[in-house]
């Protein structure tokens, strides 16, 4: 479409040979004040985003937003001012080197929900070379909720405000690592009926000097309490160790910001008691912070030594009233919280204030340590999440793999990041992606790949161990294989080593039917045949199956429901891993 929205804006799209800052290229007004909707026209039909909704989400003019480890900045002009550019070959100034390039985008179609827009652009490097990228921008009114950066509850129209979810997306594309970028050429106009809008772009900086030691995926957005002026004391387990640490808090799926009062870290003593006085963390030099909806927050580096293979206590004070938070729902671990109105207890070593317990991890999604060789990411479902392993014993197969790595010198002693989600699938979403829900099985592995794998701290190798929930739900082998193929290709595009694990047997579980078994067999045949798609294969099926009944686990490995392995089964998975294949 690429038509001017007002005489005050630039006429036809810019064709400057010299790059300009992105805000100098803005030619469209997406955000309007609710009381003056006519001051903005995002889609050429008088419709716009609500400035009040954005403010309520914490997306205020000029606000820095960290999404999937890329630091973006929401346009600073305010409602009724130019805040995005309709892509049509403009040249945006962007300098530096990074791991990937992230765009804050959405597409629009005139006056109605559309099908999204896709275009090819160019990255220009300082050495004179160039590379292309393909940018897909979902529609602001009909795009998938499961991949949005932020959903807003209203659509502003010329005739008034309507209750309709509008969306903004963070989309990341590869760049050539180590090369200095000079400029980014935006895609050409996608056609007469659709516009691809760019609000911000940023390089994802390398995470050299850090290794991920613990992580968990947001599995949904859960109603809680409400909690008022409480402190959470979350128990997590390190894999790699290091002399410094930082944490990551994540407000994924949330339509509102969350206020963090103070955060501390300590080694666990017994239960909620610390082994020593907790040490406070800071955020931009301050003890607290506000995490806008849909964004994440890294703490400042702290000179706190994290031992390898050790339980930590991360305490988070929430000074306000919290009614819903993003959570990782299944933890196989007991954490703690203080009572309503108990205030900031992050600095206390004792357990006395922590009178409640938690079986989920709210907000906290990562702990990093200084130095180290980087991390292995395990992408999986409830089996990776540790269901049926002993509560509190850290006996999930990724934990056991981490201990094997720590006990050898043949390959790097990687950190191991567990991104299993109970109930998760490769192909279809379980959590709908918006609003509070009792379904806590996450969005699909494909839809969470960017956040939970590609954006993880110093990720080097991906192990994919998923698919059993898909086939139990009637998804075909062909659909699962296509999903695994997409995951492998995207991870390879970002420079990760990709290992596929065969699906373990589940015969005897109520919905592991003969049809499901046929699909499992077909998927495993694909994985074993490799065909150059995977860098290695871990045969978890062979590690635990009963040779007399190959559709079932050996009784010695069965957690009791014929689907989830017990501690011995978890060890069989870990022991079957050829560590040399991780590099």
């Amino acid at each position: 479409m690429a038509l001017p929205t007002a005489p005050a804006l630039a006429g036809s799209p810019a064709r400057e040979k010299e790059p300009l800052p992105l805000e100098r290229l803005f030619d469209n007004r997406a955000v309007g004040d609710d009381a003056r909707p006519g001051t903005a026209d995002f889609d050429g039909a008088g419709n716009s985003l609500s400035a009040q909704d954005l403010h309520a989400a914490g997306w205020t003019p000029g606000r820095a937003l960290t999404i999937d480890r890329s630091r973006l900045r929401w346009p600073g002009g305010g409602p009724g001012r130019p805040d995005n550019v309709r892509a049509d070959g403009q040249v945006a100034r962007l300098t530096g080197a990074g791991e990937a390039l992230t765009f804050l985008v959405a597409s629009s179609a005139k006056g109605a929900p559309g099908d999204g827009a896709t275009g090819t652009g160019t990255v220009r490097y300082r050495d004179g070379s160039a590379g292309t990228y393909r940018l897909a921008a979902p529609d602001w009114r009909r795009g998938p909720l499961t991949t949005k950066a932020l959903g807003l509850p209203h659509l502003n129209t010329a005739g008034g405000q309507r209750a309709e979810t509008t969306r903004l997306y963070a989309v990341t594309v590869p760049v050539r690592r180590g090369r200095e970028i000079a400029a980014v050429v935006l895609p050409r106009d996608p056609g007469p009926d659709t516009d691809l809008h760019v609000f911000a772009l940023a390089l994802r900086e390398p995470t050299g000097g850090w290794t991920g030691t613990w992580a968990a995926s947001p599995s949904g957005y859960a109603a809680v309490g409400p909690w008022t002026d409480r402190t959470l004391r979350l128990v997590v387990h390190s894999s790699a160790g290091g002399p410094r640490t930082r944490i990551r808090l994540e407000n994924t799926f949330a339509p509102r910001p969350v206020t963090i009062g103070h955060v501390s870290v300590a080694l666990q003593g017994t239960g909620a008691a610390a082994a020593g006085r907790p040490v406070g963390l800071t955020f931009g030099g301050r003890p607290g912070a506000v995490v806008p909806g849909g964004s994440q927050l890294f703490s400042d580096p702290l000179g706190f030594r994290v031992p390898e293979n050790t339980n930590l206590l991360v305490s988070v004070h929430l000074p306000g009233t919290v009614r819903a938070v993003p959570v990782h729902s299944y933890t196989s671990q007991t954490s703690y919280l203080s009572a309503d109105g108990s205030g900031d207890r992050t600095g206390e070593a004792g357990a006395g204030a922590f009178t409640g317990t938690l079986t989920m991890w709210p907000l906290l999604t990562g702990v990093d340590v200084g130095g180290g060789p980087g991390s292995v990411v395990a992408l999986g479902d409830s089996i990776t999440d540790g269901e049926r392993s002993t509560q509190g014993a850290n006996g999930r197969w990724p934990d056991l793999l981490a201990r094997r790595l720590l006990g050898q010198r043949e390959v790097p002693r990687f950190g191991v990041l567990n991104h299993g989600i109970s109930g998760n699938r490769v192909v279809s979403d379980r959590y709908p992606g918006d609003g509070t829900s009792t379904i806590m099985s996450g969005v699909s592995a494909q839809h969470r790949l960017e956040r939970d794998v590609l954006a993880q701290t110093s990720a080097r190798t991906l192990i994919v161990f998923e698919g059993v929930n898909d086939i139990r739900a009637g998804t075909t082998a062909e659909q699962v294989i296509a999903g695994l193929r997409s995951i492998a290709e995207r991870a390879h595009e970002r420079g990760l080593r990709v290992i596929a694990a065969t699906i373990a047997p589940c015969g005897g579980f109520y919905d592991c039917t003969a049809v499901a078994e046929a699909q499992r067999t077909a998927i495993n045949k694909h994985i074993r045949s490799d065909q150059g798609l995977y860098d290695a294969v871990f045969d978890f099926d062979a590690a635990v199956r009963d040779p007399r009944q190959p559709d079932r686990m050996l009784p010695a490995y069965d957690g009791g429901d014929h689907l989830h392995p017990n501690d011995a089964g978890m060890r069989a998975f870990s022991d079957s891993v050829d560590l040399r294949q991780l590099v």
Side-chain angles (χ1 to χ4, degrees), residues 130-344:
T132 60
Y133 64 88
R134 191 156 183 81
L135 179 63
D139 185 75
W140 73 306
R141 296 174 63 183
R142 191 160 67 187
L145 290 169
T146 50
T147 59
K148 70 179 182 354
L150 182 68
L152 302 171
H154 299 108
L155 173 75
N156 281 356
T157 76
Q161 192 173 78
R162 292 211 310 252
E164 178 183 327
T165 302
T166 50
R167 298 112 154 121
L168 293 164
Y169 295 87
V171 179
T172 303
V173 301
V175 295
R176 295 174 181 170
R177 293 195 179 202
R179 292 199 189 182
E180 288 283 330
I181 292 173
V184 176
V185 183
L186 301 181
R188 292 290 184 184
D189 181 3
D193 300 319
T194 305
D195 280 328
L196 192 164
H197 303 259
V198 180
F199 293 84
L201 71 163
L203 280 168
R204 179 182 295 162
E205 295 183 359
T207 49
W210 291 99
T211 286
T213 187
W214 174 88
S217 307
S219 62
Y221 190 60
V224 296
W227 296 336
T228 301
D229 195 17
R230 292 190 177 202
T231 299
L232 313 179
R233 180 152 281 184
L234 307 178
V235 181
V236 301
H237 190 74
S238 69
S239 53
R244 297 176 298 139
T245 191
R246 68 179 186 182
I247 68 161
R248 181 178 67 241
L249 301 171
E250 205 149 344
N251 205 15
T252 314
F253 308 129
R256 295 286 183 270
V258 61
T259 300
I260 307 298
H262 291 87
V263 181
S264 69
V265 62
L267 303 184
Q268 186 184 28
T270 302
R277 186 167 184 82
V279 182
L281 291 149
T282 58
F283 303 88
R286 298 179 179 179
V290 174
V291 191
S295 70
Q296 58 189 193
L297 179 70
F298 285 84
S299 72
D300 300 328
L302 174 69
F304 176 88
R305 175 171 290 278
V306 174
E308 59 193 29
N309 190 30
T310 299
N311 277 2
L312 306 174
L313 301 178
V314 178
S315 300
V316 182
H317 175 225
L318 303 175
T321 295
V322 176
R323 291 179 168 82
V325 284
V327 302
H328 182 87
S329 62
Y330 185 86
T331 66
S332 191
Q333 177 68 64
T334 300
S335 291
Y336 306 91
L337 77 165
S338 65
D340 250 15
S342 56
D344 179 10

Side-chain angles (χ1 to χ4, degrees), residues 418-434:
N418 187 334
H419 280 283
I421 296 179
S422 181
N424 199 236
R425 298 174 184 168
V426 173
V427 176
S428 57
D429 302 303
R430 299 294 305 281
Y431 171 66
D434 195 54

Side-chain angles (χ1 to χ4, degrees), residues 15 74 90 146 151 357 365 441 467 526:
R15 306 291 188 195
W74 184 245
Q90 301 93 332
T146 50
T357 58
T365 63
S441 295
H526 152 77

